[in-house]
Amino acid sequence: MLCPALLKFALYQLFPYFAPKIYLPDFSDFRTKNMNPYQQKKRWKYSLLTFAVVIASGSLLYTQYLVRNIAKSERTRAQVWAMSMKQVLASDDNDFLSYVFAVRDSSIVPAIVVNDRDDIQLWRGLDSTKTAIKLQAEGNKKLRYDPNYFKHELATMKKQHEPIKLTVLGTPWFVYYEDSNLLTQLKFFPYIQLSLIAIFLLLAYTAFSSSRKSEQDQVWVGLAKETAHQLGTPISSLMAWIELMKEKFHAEDDPLIGEMENDVKRLEIVADRFSKIGSKPQLEEHKVYEVVKDFVDYFKIRVSKNISFELTGNPHLLAGINVPLFDWVLENLMKNAVNAIEGKGTIKVDVSGHKIKRQVYIDISDTGKGIPRSKFDTVFQPGYTTRKRGWGLGLSLTKRMVENYHDGQIFVRDSELGKGTTFRIILKNIRHDKKTAA
């Protein structure tokens, strides 16, 4: 069964002002009121982003809470170790000393004790391969005393924590300590964890989006080809009826019959366009100005007389073009321009080239209502439309045909609310006709 949306879209290509009057099952109001794909997608993105931020913030806050608690615990252990060292130096009770040693040895926190001149008195929990003074003196080559290691560790400890102050035998001592490996790892763990999760989600989203896009493309191609197939039979019948009218009423030279023939041929081109979707079209070198002029001449007599057309530019620039598809590009852009103009207005088309970049530019300008700068990219999204009965397919298809089939670019070059919009098409692989200058 022919998709009503695609059939209506195809009829609109041929009869831009009469297709809406042709009765077809109308789903546009339902789509507008209940389902705007672009807005729905945007809301989902914001919702998921907010949810991700909440999860990340919660994880970081809870980790910081754990870090603070462990930091307090380590400072308490450092204080216990400092007090135990003070008792060892000040006490003569051997029984009590054994208890103090047990407490001291259980408090494993990297620490350095210095006097008021920063002379190192004691240390604890440092790298034994760089602090073994006695073993080095005994000839153990694997172990050595490294003064620079002590200086580096002391500087690190001073940056991390305020010292614990002690008075031992009337002399002020300062106990510096650093975070344990567990605490250091815990500080960085949430960032590493969230980074890995983000990378995984990004890869998963990319794979899912690619798969979904492939499925959507297959559905679109199938519907487009079915549309072309369904249009084939009535087009053939219309062509036969026109030939019959010519013979029966001797109307070969009737201008109305000629216009009917042009419209049927146009409908045939529309069907041919749909049949080409999904396959790589054959590009041939054409003079861009002539292709544009042929379409403008056809199009301008089918729109309101209040809209005037101006075509300027270099008539000799060549580019690789598939004419039926490129006409579709021009048609979508000019129909949008017509819809944007309220009352009288002008549509200007300018064809120019750039020798160094080997590109040809087609600028299509109108004097319509304009596009907000924030919507310059959005207008090419499938489903985006500002019209009540629009489907949001025209510019999306236009972008696909320019970029995927013609290896070009299309974008909103400029727009000002209340004054008009200019779309620019860039075609590559340009070369100049031998008869022309730039």
Side-chain angles (χ1 to χ4, degrees):
M1 182 178 180
L2 181 61
C3 173
L6 285 175
L7 178 56
K8 198 165 188 177
F9 187 72
L11 291 172
Y12 190 78
Q13 302 296 312
L14 178 59
F15 306 110
Y17 293 101
F18 298 100
K21 299 178 182 178
I22 299 174
Y23 178 76
L24 286 171
D26 188 4
F27 301 101
S28 60
D29 291 337
F30 173 80
R31 190 195 70 83
T32 304
K33 295 177 182 178
N34 300 285
M35 184 180 64
N36 189 323
Y38 174 74
Q39 293 295 335
Q40 195 174 49
K41 182 179 178 181
K42 194 173 181 180
R43 284 197 297 268
W44 269 108
K45 283 184 177 180
Y46 284 140
S47 300
L48 291 174
L49 179 61
T50 303
F51 187 60
V53 170
V54 169
I55 292 177
S57 301
S59 176
L60 291 174
L61 289 174
Y62 183 68
T63 303
Q64 292 300 321
Y65 169 76
L66 293 178
V67 167
R68 285 195 298 271
N69 285 344
I70 294 175
K72 289 179 182 178
S73 174
E74 290 192 351
R75 185 168 182 86
T76 300
R77 283 192 287 171
Q79 290 173 337
V80 169
W81 181 80
M83 294 302 296
S84 66
M85 292 302 302
K86 180 178 179 181
Q87 291 298 325
V88 168
L89 297 173
S91 177
D92 295 330
D93 188 343
N94 292 331
D95 293 335
F96 181 68
L97 285 177
S98 61
Y99 171 75
V100 172
F101 283 138
V103 173
R104 183 198 66 181
D105 294 340
S106 66
S107 302
I108 305 175
V109 177
I112 295 177
V113 182
V114 300
N115 59 18
D116 54 354
R117 296 187 300 276
D118 265 0
D119 296 329
I120 296 176
Q121 308 297 314
L122 299 167
W123 63 84
R124 175 76 176 177
L126 302 181
D127 186 354
S128 61
T129 63
K130 299 180 180 180
T131 60
I133 300 174
K134 292 183 178 179
L135 291 176
Q136 187 186 29
E138 294 173 1
N140 192 333
K141 295 182 180 180
K142 294 182 179 180
L143 304 174
R144 63 189 180 87
Y145 171 71
D146 187 354
N148 292 328
Y149 171 73
F150 279 98
K151 292 179 181 179
H152 177 267
E153 289 296 312
L154 181 59
T156 301
M157 293 178 184
K158 285 183 176 181
K159 290 179 181 179
Q160 288 186 357
H161 302 286
E162 289 293 322
I164 300 170
K165 298 179 181 179
L166 297 174
T167 302
V168 179
L169 302 175
T171 303
W173 282 11
F174 301 91
V175 179
Y176 292 95
Y177 69 99
E178 66 179 355
D179 296 333
S180 64
N181 290 333
L182 174 63
L183 183 59
T184 302
Q185 293 171 6
L186 189 59
K187 285 181 178 179
F188 293 102
F189 172 74
Y191 299 101
I192 297 173
Q193 181 187 44
L194 291 175
S195 298
L196 292 175
I197 292 174
I199 292 172
F200 171 77
L201 291 178
L202 181 63
L203 293 175
Y205 176 78
T206 303
F208 175 75
S209 297
S210 177
S211 174
R212 184 183 60 181
K213 185 176 183 299
S214 177
E215 292 178 359
Q216 290 174 343
D217 287 345
Q218 290 178 1
V219 172
W220 168 247
V221 169
L223 289 173
K225 290 186 180 297
E226 178 65 13
T227 300
H229 175 71
Q230 294 289 345
L231 288 174
T233 301
I235 289 173
S236 300
S237 298
L238 287 171
M239 294 175 68
W241 279 111
I242 290 174
E243 292 299 322
L244 182 61
M245 290 173 63
K246 285 182 180 180
E247 292 180 6
K248 187 171 183 179
F249 299 103
H250 306 288
E252 288 83 357
D253 299 327
D254 192 314
L256 293 178
I257 297 295
E259 288 301 318
M260 288 177 63
E261 280 188 312
N262 289 338
D263 284 339
V264 172
K265 289 178 180 177
R266 194 68 187 174
L267 186 55
E268 191 175 17
I269 291 173
V270 171
D272 183 56
R273 290 171 181 173
F274 279 98
S275 69
K276 283 183 169 63
I277 290 178
S279 57
K280 193 71 173 178
Q282 189 70 30
L283 302 182
E284 298 177 356
E285 281 195 343
H286 290 276
K287 290 184 178 180
V288 179
Y289 186 91
E290 290 184 1
V291 173
V292 175
K293 184 178 183 299
D294 289 344
F295 178 78
V296 171
D297 290 343
Y298 169 85
F299 185 77
K300 66 183 180 182
I301 63 174
R302 286 165 171 78
V303 298
S304 171
K305 294 181 180 179
N306 291 327
I307 299 176
S308 61
F309 289 79
E310 296 180 11
L311 176 60
T312 59
N314 189 334
H316 305 289
L317 295 171
L318 299 176
I321 292 176
N322 180 278
V323 175
L325 291 183
F326 195 72
D327 280 352
W328 199 356
V329 169
L330 297 173
E331 189 169 356
N332 288 335
L333 291 174
M334 291 189 188
K335 282 180 179 177
N336 279 354
V338 170
N339 292 328
I341 295 173
E342 297 176 354
K344 292 186 177 181
T346 304
I347 297 176
K348 298 180 180 180
V349 184
D350 181 70
V351 179
S352 60
H354 196 295
K355 270 189 174 181
I356 298 176
K357 293 184 178 180
R358 299 181 63 80
Q359 294 176 336
V360 59
Y361 305 139
I362 303 107
D363 292 333
I364 301 175
S365 306
D366 63 65
T367 56
K369 55 189 176 183
I371 300 171
R373 186 166 294 275
S374 60
K375 302 295 185 182
F376 278 14
D377 294 328
T378 307
V379 294
F380 295 103
Q381 293 284 345
Y384 177 83
T385 180
T386 57
R387 298 171 58 202
K388 182 180 178 181
R389 302 175 68 84
W391 288 91
L393 294 176
L395 288 178
S396 175
L397 286 171
T398 298
K399 187 176 181 68
R400 179 188 292 260
M401 286 185 286
V402 171
E403 295 184 353
N404 293 2
Y405 297 156
H406 289 86
D407 194 25
Q409 294 176 269
I410 183 171
F411 54 89
V412 180
R413 182 188 177 190
D414 186 37
S415 184
E416 188 173 349
L417 293 177
K419 292 189 176 181
T421 302
T422 299
F423 283 88
R424 167 164 283 190
I425 301 170
I426 301 178
L427 298 179
K428 300 180 181 179
N429 300 325
I430 178 180
R431 71 176 180 82
H432 292 267
D433 195 340
K434 295 179 181 178
K435 299 179 181 180
T436 70

